[in-house]
Amino acid sequence: MAASRSRRVWLFDLDNTLHHASHAIFPEINRLMNAYIARVLGDDHGPADAETVNRVRLEYYLKYGVTMLGMVRHHGVDAEHFLQAAHDIDGLTSMIRAERGLRRRLRQLPGKKILLTNAPAGYAGKVLRRLRLHTHFDAHVPVEQMRVHRQLQPKPSVRFLRHFLARERLRARDCVLVEDSVDNLRAARKLGIRTVLLRHYIPASGRKPDGRVRSAACVDVAVHDIRRLSNYRKIIGNL
């Protein structure tokens, strides 16, 4: 996927960026993931208790950026099986919430658009089809494809982002990453990718006591929603 020297490339996250995952979907993913971890950590007497599960989840998240990698590396879990189990949500489409006019607003953004999500392909496809966005992206890069030398390296892996740019023949300065995660934006900024923090769906835990969203030096611009990206020239200048 080669980009011309003047062409802009938008890299979009999915959950809490293109839709409001924290509304109902994330709580269900957390429930399914906890149940899976409890079974893996359990013994002949039954699944592990909630305190153990929460401790292990936090430990792996802080160490690897995603719980999945810890489960793979320390417990021999199959990554795709883990992800599918955690995203096998009954009634998924009824839980999806997103801002109005999303398709039109994405069409207004010039250049390529690539989905870059730590979610598995099956789940991401269902969400995109429900939002009628599946044809609005030049490429979909789910977590299964985030590999370097066959090893999973999901966001916020700088190694994967560098590998991805080289593989697709993209220049970092031509790219803009739109995300709800400061950690992921920080990794992108290290490579010279422009960064946009989308604040609309960030839960209370990611906000200051006065309700404002926590930001960081790695964020070039923070916007409330996708609609604000229509002023892209003011936001990120001319690439």
Side-chain angles (χ1 to χ4, degrees):
M1 181 192 309
S4 66
R5 293 184 62 82
S6 62
R7 191 160 192 182
R8 186 173 293 106
V9 181
W10 299 88
L11 308 174
F12 277 92
D13 179 45
L14 177 62
D15 292 331
N16 274 358
T17 298
L18 294 177
H19 73 112
H20 189 1
S22 289
H23 165 70
I25 293 173
F26 273 177
E28 183 62 9
I29 289 175
N30 288 339
R31 185 188 70 80
L32 293 169
M33 190 176 294
N34 283 350
Y36 191 104
I37 295 171
R39 291 193 297 271
V40 172
L41 299 181
D43 53 28
D44 294 339
H45 300 290
D49 60 84
E51 182 179 352
T52 299
V53 170
N54 290 332
R55 175 180 55 78
V56 169
R57 276 194 67 171
L58 179 60
E59 177 186 341
Y60 292 162
Y61 177 79
L62 293 176
K63 185 172 183 178
Y64 300 110
V66 289
T67 302
M68 173 194 66
L69 285 184
M71 297 301 295
V72 170
R73 294 178 183 181
H74 296 283
H75 304 280
V77 165
D78 179 79
E80 292 193 17
H81 187 265
F82 177 82
L83 289 168
Q84 294 302 327
H87 291 80
D88 186 18
I89 302 172
D90 291 333
L92 172 64
T93 57
S94 67
M95 299 179 182
I96 296 172
R97 301 288 186 277
E99 64 180 272
R100 293 182 178 180
L102 193 54
R103 289 185 298 148
R104 182 181 73 255
R105 287 160 188 165
L106 287 180
R107 280 199 301 267
Q108 291 172 346
L109 298 177
K112 292 182 180 294
K113 300 173 189 69
I114 299 174
L115 184 76
L116 205 62
T117 175
N118 276 358
Y123 162 86
K126 290 177 183 178
V127 173
L128 288 179
R129 285 191 293 274
R130 177 64 174 177
L131 296 174
R132 299 170 65 189
L133 296 177
H134 53 291
T135 61
H136 282 59
F137 290 89
D138 296 272
H140 298 174
V141 183
V143 68
E144 298 97 323
Q145 295 180 21
M146 293 184 180
R147 295 179 181 271
V148 180
H149 304 307
R150 299 185 179 182
Q151 298 297 313
L152 277 170
Q153 295 280 330
K155 297 181 297 183
S157 169
V158 175
R159 287 186 64 202
F160 167 73
L161 288 174
R162 184 182 293 113
H163 174 78
F164 169 77
L165 293 175
R167 183 185 72 196
E168 306 300 340
R169 299 180 183 179
L170 300 175
R171 298 188 308 176
R173 65 177 178 269
D174 291 337
C175 299
V176 183
L177 177 62
V178 183
E179 269 269 5
D180 67 297
S181 166
V182 171
D183 287 342
N184 294 342
L185 294 175
R186 183 178 294 110
R189 200 68 186 85
K190 289 178 180 178
L191 298 177
I193 296 172
R194 309 251 185 135
T195 57
V196 176
L197 176 68
L198 191 128
R199 304 175 297 189
H200 195 183
Y201 305 126
I202 293 178
S205 60
R207 297 176 182 270
K208 298 178 181 179
D210 61 4
R212 292 182 297 166
V213 173
R214 301 177 190 276
S215 190
C218 63
V219 175
D220 288 324
V221 177
V223 298
H224 182 260
D225 50 33
I226 299 295
R227 178 170 61 89
R228 301 304 200 281
L229 290 180
S230 61
N231 295 322
Y232 64 91
R233 289 190 180 89
K234 294 180 180 179
I235 292 173
I236 59 172
N238 294 314
L239 295 177

